[in-house]
């Protein structure tokens, strides 16, 4: 696996556990949000308004639905506008950010404890963050503006991991924009590229059946889909988007230096502990090429 993708693979369950942690849902519920739901797979899924404003809060006080939709990239904009309006009617940015961090740290502490190597791993992440760059990257820059906490080693590790995770997300949006895709089209392409059924995970982004069908028709007209399957052209096209994303992460990857193998081995174990305890839906298969 490409080193840039390996960074995402080991950090994603740790950074994004915040969206599946009952401790986070509970902390946000105390502010007045819904407490989330438990799926048949045992994963705790977030309340919509709580998810949108807690993830979008680093973008600023009462960040608009349009701004949050742009930063997240793949959700239906009209849905985001409506849900964000509800979310900001419930609690303030500072309260949401505090609940998010409190719950995230409590969840990780329950699942991985406070390993002796935590400070070392955080130092590697900080080195990666220093390598950046952050120009043109809204969501990771918002997190960067919050700083890395210095009063709790686990909070510092989680925040640094979250910054690096969202940095790749920002780079990925830039890559598919450059490829002249819209938000629905990139979701439609990604499902079969990852080996999932067409129009499966992308449905969680609030697209209607008609919108998904129209996106499929546009992709077929470009020779990227044949029926419900990726064409070879479509697979290469989607893989090239991921390679372009990888390239934008090179400075961060290179900043790991000789510590990369140790970092991957260490953090991979923590990530798997999170997955094994239903803290994240599962490790993602990148594509049939990896």
């Amino acid at each position: 696996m490409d080193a840039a993708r390996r960074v995402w693979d080991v950090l994603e369950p740790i950074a994004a556990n915040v969206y599946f942690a009952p401790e986070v849902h509970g902390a946000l519920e105390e502010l007045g949000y819904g407490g989330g739901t438990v799926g048949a797979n045992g994963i705790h899924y977030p309340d919509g308004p709580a998810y949108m404003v807690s993830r979008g809060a680093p973008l600023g006080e009462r960040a608009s639905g349009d701004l949050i939709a742009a930063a997240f990239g793949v959700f239906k904009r009209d849905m985001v506008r409506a849900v964000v309006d509800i979310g900001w009617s419930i609690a303030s940015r500072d309260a949401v950010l505090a609940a998010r961090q409190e719950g995230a740290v409590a969840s990780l502490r329950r699942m991985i404890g406070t390993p002796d190597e935590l400070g070392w791993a955080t130092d590697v992440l900080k080195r990666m963050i220093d390598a950046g760059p952050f120009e043109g990257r809204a969501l990771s820059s918002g997190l960067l503006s919050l700083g890395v906490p210095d009063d709790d080693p686990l909070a510092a590790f989680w925040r640094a991991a979250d910054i690096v995770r969202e940095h790749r997300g920002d780079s990925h949006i830039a890559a598919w924009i450059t490829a002249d895709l819209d938000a629905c089209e990139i979701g439609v392409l990604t499902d079969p590229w990852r080996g999932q059924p067409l129009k499966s995970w992308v449905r969680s982004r609030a697209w209607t059946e008609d919108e998904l069908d129209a996106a499929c028709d546009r992709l077929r007209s470009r020779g990227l889909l044949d029926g419900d399957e990726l064409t070879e052209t479509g697979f290469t096209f989607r893989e090239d988007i991921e390679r372009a994303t990888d390239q934008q992460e090179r400075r961060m990857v290179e900043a790991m230096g000789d510590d990369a193998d140790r970092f991957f081995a260490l953090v991979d174990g923590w990530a798997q502990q999170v997955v094994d305890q239903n803290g994240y839906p599962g490790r993602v298969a990148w594509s049939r090429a990896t």
Side-chain angles (χ1 to χ4, degrees), residues 162-191:
D162 204 15
I163 293 170
V164 174
R165 183 238 186 196
E166 294 291 16
H167 189 280
R168 184 183 179 91
D170 289 336
S171 295
H172 185 57
I173 291 171
W176 58 255
I177 288 174
T178 302
D180 190 26
L181 292 175
D182 65 30
C184 189
E185 291 163 357
I186 184 62
V188 168
L189 273 183
T190 296
D191 281 340

Side-chain angles (χ1 to χ4, degrees), residues 109-160:
R109 185 164 283 121
R110 168 175 56 83
M111 291 185 288
I112 69 172
T114 308
D116 292 340
E117 304 93 336
L118 202 61
W120 177 86
T122 302
D123 287 342
V124 174
L125 290 171
K126 287 180 176 178
R127 210 161 67 222
M128 296 168 71
I129 291 166
D130 287 343
F134 284 83
E135 291 80 7
R137 294 171 171 86
L139 200 49
S140 57
S141 292
L143 284 168
L144 188 68
S145 74
L146 301 179
V148 175
D150 58 9
D151 58 347
D152 184 329
L154 193 54
F157 175 69
W158 169 70
R159 173 64 53 71

